[in-house]
Amino acid sequence: MLGQMQNHPLLISRLIDHAARHHADSEVVSRRVEGDIHRYTWADVQKRAKQVANGLDALGVGLGERIGTLAWNGYRHLELYFGVSGSNRVLHTINPRLIPEQIAWIVNHAEDKVLCFDMSFLPIIQGIHAHCPNITHWIALCDADKLPADSGIPNLRSYEAWIGEQPNTYAWPVFDENTASSMCYTSGTTGHPKAALYSHRSTVLHAFAAALPDAMALSASDSALPVVPMFHVNAWGLPYSAAMVGCKLVFPGPALDGKSVFDLIEAEKVTFAAGVPTVWQMLLGYASSNNLRFSTLKRTVIGGSACPPAMIASFRDNYGVDVLHAWGMTEMSPLGTLCTLKEKHRHVSEEEKMKIRLKQGRAIFGVDMKIVSDDGAELPWDGKTYGDLYVKGPWILDTYYKNEGGYPLIDGWFPTGDVATIDADGFMQITDRSKDVIKSGGEWISSIDIENVAMAHPGVAMAACIGMPHPKWDERPIVAVVKKPDAQVTREELLAFYEGKVAKWQKPDDVVFVDAIPLGATGKMLKTRLREMLKDYKLPA
Ligand code: ADP
């Protein structure tokens, strides 16, 4: 027997219609590439998203065609999120921090038809446009009078002139909720990047899940600041969840330094922010050296790479801000787990609570996870046994775009490439990426654990642990360290700092001071590059 409820497809256009109807005057505030602050409302977003949809019709862009964006977090990018997907085209957000050759490769692989870019990326476009034969229209996200006369880019037009000609009414089409809505390439540290192709259904379900109280707890009373880029896994789905709950949305544009982010948080009374640890490091550095406090910020989601314990403690103890540690990946839209405590933890000591908060957290409903051994056997949830982390759920990838790399699932589960433990309460903790874990004498050493100890030292700005070949133990860990400016810390002092914090055999064999740890396009440490940098390094005898 079938149920007898209405069958409405879960479409992204419904999110923007809801925001415009029920939260018409909630603000969307952006620091623009031009440097000034732009503010308008959810009602305006909807109108201009409809102009985008009409604009795409006028350009003759077919249904399902890919529209690339090379843009910071801002209101025009938000309009493209809803206008492109809402009109049944596919939004392809591109990471501008990739090298131009990779950007061109991705644009061609996705077969983008239109490319919209912030003016900061004009030099990239000037370098690649001749190598992207598929693109029929280049659109600069600026006013008509800001368009350079002699850019050399054929068919270049300004976004404002393009949508300005269009009516702001549009009947969003209704179609199968499994239709593709947006896509994002993984950073591809090995081989060519592969793309996750999200659907309307996966995006709307993810938006519901992300807003839950044990996830980001987003509500209409929030002022939310996604520092995590809209070009990286849809800013963790925040634009969609924000429209769903109708909160105020604040965009930092290109200004991600500590002072700019701090000023924006204060000026726009931000209550909730989300970003990767490297950005928060800059924010905390600025706040502490200027002795500043947040007046409205209450909680922040930190993920993308392991959040150092010292950062969680500093946010809480010095600033009264709760850190929600989160884990996910491009292939998971991206949210998998978030770390919020259970009722039974309310009365445990602060120290116990801290131990839990360091974990990557519990699965949100919709995500199922397990850890398995090398032979695929499921491992116990005891908080100690570690294994390969597998996931499944309706916003988790089934196959990559164009079937690149073959069929990735194993018995219906997506292998994440992460190694983790899960405790009896369901809290998952990432030990390492499987390719970063250090194998010493048949035992595994978590590079994250080794980095976390170094990061807790007051003289250390950044630390990365890698394994070095060893004749007897296979591999031994060493830690590459960037000192804080003016810090006097020595190798011996840092090695002694590990005493009592990790098991004796896990202690790194050496500390190597470096000027900088190489970072990838999404702000994560690039250990492949670090290994190349240290290829002539020899372990101390
Ligand atoms: P890419 O895989 O292209 O580097 P993703 O953003 O998809 O980019 O990265 C996902 C990976 O990032 C995860 O598989 C995991 O290794 C790492 N990661 C994400 N969040 C965390 C976290 N909170 N702690 C530790 N590692 C994390």
Side-chain angles (χ1 to χ4, degrees):
M1 183 160 59
L2 287 177
Q4 293 182 309
M5 308 310 280
Q6 299 179 14
N7 187 4
H8 294 286
L10 302 173
L11 297 177
I12 286 171
S13 53
R14 299 194 62 201
L15 296 173
I16 187 59
D17 281 355
H18 176 84
R21 191 167 168 85
H22 300 274
H23 305 279
D25 65 352
S26 288
E27 278 188 303
V28 175
V29 179
S30 312
R31 193 194 295 279
R32 304 205 299 169
V33 172
E34 293 88 331
D36 57 346
I37 297 284
H38 172 274
R39 52 180 76 237
Y40 68 168
T41 65
W42 278 112
D44 300 317
V45 180
Q46 185 205 39
K47 284 192 193 125
R48 287 173 45 101
K50 291 187 167 192
Q51 288 178 294
V52 167
N54 282 313
L56 291 171
D57 288 355
L59 296 181
V61 178
L63 302 186
E65 301 273 23
R66 272 73 65 206
I67 313 298
T69 63
L70 208 59
W72 299 109
N73 290 9
Y75 65 106
R76 291 176 178 132
H77 208 173
L78 186 69
E79 293 157 7
L80 288 163
Y81 263 53
F82 291 106
V84 170
S85 305
S87 66
N88 196 354
R89 279 99 179 185
V90 179
L91 181 83
H92 171 206
T93 53
I94 305 166
N95 187 336
R97 298 196 184 110
L98 296 170
I99 55 170
E101 289 75 24
Q102 264 175 328
I103 293 178
W105 187 90
I106 282 175
V107 165
N108 291 330
H109 188 260
E111 299 171 50
D112 292 337
K113 273 274 154 7
V114 179
L115 203 134
C116 305
F117 61 94
D118 271 332
M119 286 302 277
S120 13
F121 306 124
L122 181 66
I124 298 180
I125 302 296
Q126 284 171 320
I128 66 168
H129 73 85
H131 308 289
C132 302
N134 251 315
I135 302 267
T136 49
H137 297 278
W138 301 91
I139 295 175
L141 297 169
C142 65
D143 289 319
D145 61 359
K146 296 278 181 342
L147 206 60
D150 49 358
S151 69
I153 300 164
N155 284 331
L156 178 66
R157 61 178 81 202
S158 94
Y159 178 80
E160 293 302 333
W162 172 52
I163 69 165
E165 294 164 358
Q166 302 297 330
N168 61 16
T169 52
Y170 191 83
W172 298 119
V174 176
F175 45 84
D176 184 343
E177 64 185 18
N178 290 300
T179 306
S181 57
S182 68
M183 67 195 298
C184 183
Y185 280 75
T186 62
S187 38
T189 38
T190 50
H192 275 310
K194 299 194 285 276
L197 187 60
Y198 312 111
S199 70
H200 285 258
R201 173 185 158 80
S202 71
T203 304
V204 174
L205 289 175
H206 180 271
F208 272 116
L212 283 172
D214 269 351
M216 298 194 190
L218 267 191
S219 88
S221 60
D222 272 314
S223 170
L225 172 77
V227 180
V228 51
M230 291 168 82
F231 56 72
H232 191 220
V233 217
N234 300 324
W236 299 348
L238 266 168
Y240 306 116
S241 294
M244 180 177 273
V245 303
C247 64
K248 175 175 173 179
L249 199 48
V250 182
F251 288 125
L256 302 178
D257 60 288
K259 178 177 176 3
S260 303
V261 173
F262 183 88
D263 290 350
L264 199 59
I265 289 175
E266 287 303 297
E268 300 306 328
K269 301 189 167 49
V270 167
T271 55
F272 168 86
V276 297
T278 34
V279 169
W280 290 152
Q281 200 118 25
M282 291 193 278
L283 178 68
L284 286 181
Y286 174 76
S288 84
S289 52
N290 293 282
N291 212 5
L292 300 167
R293 291 291 172 273
F294 301 105
S295 39
T296 53
L297 187 66
K298 287 282 166 292
R299 57 195 201 289
T300 170
V301 173
I302 302 186
S305 42
C307 181
M311 182 175 284
I312 301 185
S314 174
F315 261 118
R316 187 197 54 188
D317 300 340
N318 306 334
Y319 300 97
V321 175
D322 280 334
V323 169
L324 302 169
H325 197 189
W327 167 84
M329 52 197 310
T330 306
E331 289 87 340
M332 300 176 68
S333 301
L335 290 180
T337 64
L338 286 107
C339 197
T340 49
L341 303 187
K342 292 184 169 181
E343 194 277 338
K344 70 192 220 184
H345 300 124
R346 279 168 62 187
H347 308 294
V348 304
S349 68
E350 280 306 313
E351 202 184 337
E352 283 302 309
K353 282 186 189 156
M354 190 63 182
K355 272 193 202 148
I356 302 168
R357 288 209 174 93
L358 297 181
K359 301 191 176 197
Q360 276 74 7
R362 295 179 287 117
I364 340 172
F365 172 76
V367 173
D368 200 3
M369 60 183 183
K370 66 174 181 180
I371 42 175
V372 299
S373 61
D374 283 346
D375 55 12
E378 189 161 354
L379 295 167
W381 290 22
D382 59 10
K384 293 195 296 279
T385 312
Y386 46 78
D388 292 316
L389 180 63
Y390 285 22
V391 290
K392 64 175 170 186
W395 56 82
I396 295 169
L397 175 132
D398 180 58
T399 38
Y400 288 97
Y401 178 61
K402 293 186 169 170
N403 242 325
E404 214 64 57
Y407 191 60
L409 302 200
I410 300 171
D411 295 333
W413 293 80
F414 179 78
T416 64
D418 287 326
V419 177
T421 61
I422 306 177
D423 70 18
D425 292 321
F427 286 84
M428 183 275 287
Q429 183 157 27
I430 301 276
T431 312
D432 231 322
R433 296 210 85 163
S434 50
K435 58 184 190 309
D436 292 337
V437 80
I438 294 148
K439 293 172 186 113
S440 174
E443 295 286 348
W444 286 12
I445 299 173
S446 154
S447 66
I448 296 176
D449 286 351
I450 304 302
E451 286 154 12
N452 283 345
V453 173
M455 292 288 287
H457 189 284
V460 171
M462 204 187 274
C465 171
I466 53 174
M468 282 291 167
H470 188 281
K472 178 167 175 201
W473 303 111
D474 278 342
E475 277 185 334
R476 287 298 301 157
I478 65 160
V479 60
V481 164
V482 182
K483 285 191 227 181
K484 281 194 184 149
D486 307 327
Q488 294 300 327
V489 55
T490 63
R491 168 184 182 273
E492 287 65 34
E493 192 183 335
L494 267 181
L495 288 176
F497 194 63
Y498 279 88
E499 213 61 58
K501 298 192 176 79
V502 295
K504 250 196 165 57
W505 58 272
Q506 294 173 328
K507 275 175 54 181
D509 280 14
D510 200 5
V511 172
V512 181
F513 291 103
V514 294
D515 293 335
I517 309 277
L519 297 181
T522 54
K524 297 184 201 204
M525 298 190 286
L526 261 192
K527 294 200 182 168
T528 40
R529 186 91 51 82
L530 182 65
R531 286 190 193 98
E532 280 164 29
M533 264 167 63
L534 298 176
K535 66 178 186 318
D536 298 326
Y537 170 88
K538 292 267 173 306
L539 281 169

